[in-house]
C-alpha cells in the first residue's frame, strides 16, 4: 500500500533536513523509499535531490540515469534541465577518473562528458555554471590526454571568469596539464621541451 500523501511530504522534509545537515547517506535512504511512489506529486524534485546526493557521495553510476531523465524533455523546468545536464556531464568525467585506463568504459565516459559539457555550454551560455563546465570539460580533456584542448578551456575560463572559484581550480589543473606534458616529453627523450613544460608547471605551483 502506498504511503499517504502527508507521510510522503513528511519523508521529503526529513530528506531535505538530512541534506542540509550533510547526512547524505541518510537522505539517500529516505529519498529511495519515496521513489517507490512514482505518482507522488513532488517526485521530480525528490529525484533531483536523490541524484544530487548520489553525486555528492561519489555514486556516479546511480546518479547518471536520474540526471539523464531530468535533463530530457521530461525535465520539470528549464532551470532543472540545465542543472541536470551540467551535473550529468560532470558525473561521466568523475566516473571516468575512478576507472582504470585499460577499462573500455573509461574512454566512452570521457567522450560522453565532453559531448555533454559542450551541449550544456551551447544551450546555456548565460548559466552561472559555465565556469564550472569549462573546468569540467578541461578536466575531461586532461583525462583523455588531450592537453592542448584542456589548456585552451582552462585558459579561456581564467580569462573570461577570473573571479570565479573555478578559475583558481583551473590554474592548478593547468599546472597538472603542463606537468604531464613535461613528463611525456621526458619519456620521449625531448629534454628541452620537458624542461619548458615542467618550468611552466612550477611557475604556477611556485
Amino acid at each position: 500500500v502506498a504511503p499517504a500523501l502527508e507521510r510522503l511530504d513528511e519523508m521529503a522534509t526529513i530528506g531535505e533536513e538530512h541534506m542540509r545537515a550533510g547526512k547524505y547517506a541518510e537522505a539517500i535512504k529516505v529519498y529511495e523509499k519515496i521513489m517507490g511512489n512514482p505518482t507522488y506529486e513532488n517526485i521530480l524534485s525528490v529525484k533531483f535531490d536523490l541524484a544530487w546526493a548520489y553525486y555528492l557521495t561519489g555514486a556516479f553510476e546511480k546518479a547518471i540515469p536520474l540526471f539523464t531523465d531530468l535533463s530530457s524533455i521530461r525535465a520539470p523546468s528549464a532551470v532543472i534541465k540545465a542543472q541536470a545536464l551540467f551535473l550529468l556531464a560532470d558525473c561521466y568525467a568523475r566516473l571516468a577518473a575512478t576507472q582504470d585506463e585499460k577499462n573500455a568504459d573509461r574512454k566512452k565516459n570521457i567522450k560522453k562528458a565532453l559531448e555533454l559539457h559542450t551541449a550544456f555550454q551551447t544551450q546555456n551560455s548565460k548559466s552561472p555554471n559555465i565556469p564550472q563546465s569549462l573546468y569540467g570539460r578541461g578536466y575531461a580533456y586532461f583525462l583523455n590526454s588531450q592537453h592542448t584542448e584542456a589548456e585552451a578551456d582552462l585558459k579561456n575560463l581564467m580569462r573570461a571568469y577570473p573571479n570565479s572559484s573555478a578559475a583558481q581550480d583551473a590554474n592548478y589543473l593547468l599546472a597538472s596539464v603542463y606537468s604531464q606534458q613535461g613528463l611525456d616529453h621526458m619519456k620521449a627523450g625531448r629534454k628541452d621541451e620537458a624542461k619548458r613544460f615542467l618550468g611552466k608547471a612550477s611557475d604556477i605551483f611556485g
Side-chain angles (χ1 to χ4, degrees):
V1 181
L5 180 62
E6 292 84 6
R7 175 83 185 108
L8 289 170
D9 282 342
E10 200 179 298
M11 285 165 76
T13 303
I14 291 167
E16 282 167 25
E17 283 165 6
H18 284 322
M19 288 295 282
R20 272 199 296 273
K23 296 178 181 173
Y24 306 126
E26 297 301 313
I28 286 168
K29 281 181 203 160
V30 176
Y31 288 145
E32 282 178 341
K33 278 187 190 144
I34 301 174
M35 289 299 291
N37 301 275
T39 55
Y40 175 50
E41 62 181 354
N42 296 319
I43 199 75
L44 289 173
S45 65
V46 168
K47 185 183 276 193
F48 186 90
D49 289 344
L50 176 58
W52 177 234
Y54 282 147
Y55 172 86
L56 291 172
T57 54
F60 305 119
E61 284 179 271
K62 287 184 175 178
I64 283 169
L66 301 183
F67 283 136
T68 300
D69 199 39
L70 289 161
S71 61
S72 72
I73 49 168
R74 286 191 291 281
S77 71
V79 172
I80 293 281
K81 185 178 183 176
Q83 229 174 346
L85 181 59
F86 162 68
L87 289 165
L88 180 61
D90 214 38
C91 277
Y92 276 110
R94 286 169 185 261
L95 177 59
T98 69
Q99 294 170 324
D100 191 270
E101 288 194 19
K102 295 180 190 74
N103 185 339
D105 286 341
R106 185 178 188 271
K107 268 263 188 267
K108 279 185 213 155
N109 289 331
I110 292 172
K111 186 168 178 276
K112 202 85 177 129
L114 291 169
E115 283 169 7
L116 291 166
H117 272 304
T118 302
F120 171 78
Q121 291 166 28
T122 306
Q123 294 163 24
N124 306 280
S125 59
K126 300 276 187 287
S127 166
N129 285 326
I130 288 288
Q132 283 93 340
S133 182
L134 283 167
Y135 176 87
R137 191 171 66 180
Y139 178 58
Y141 278 134
F142 173 61
L143 292 176
N144 213 30
S145 301
Q146 290 177 262
H147 298 128
T148 310
E149 291 86 347
E151 181 183 6
D153 265 350
L154 297 171
K155 282 186 163 174
N156 185 11
L157 157 56
M158 290 189 289
R159 199 168 42 242
Y161 306 94
N163 301 320
S164 65
S165 60
Q168 201 174 355
D169 293 338
N171 201 24
Y172 289 120
L173 181 55
L174 186 58
S176 299
V177 171
Y178 289 148
S179 292
Q180 192 54 55
Q181 284 174 294
L183 295 171
D184 290 347
H185 283 303
M186 191 87 83
K187 274 185 206 155
R190 294 186 291 268
K191 288 208 176 82
D192 289 346
E193 283 294 287
K195 202 172 161 188
R196 192 165 68 83
F197 278 103
L198 292 170
K200 283 162 87 165
S202 71
D203 285 347
I204 293 173
F205 282 130

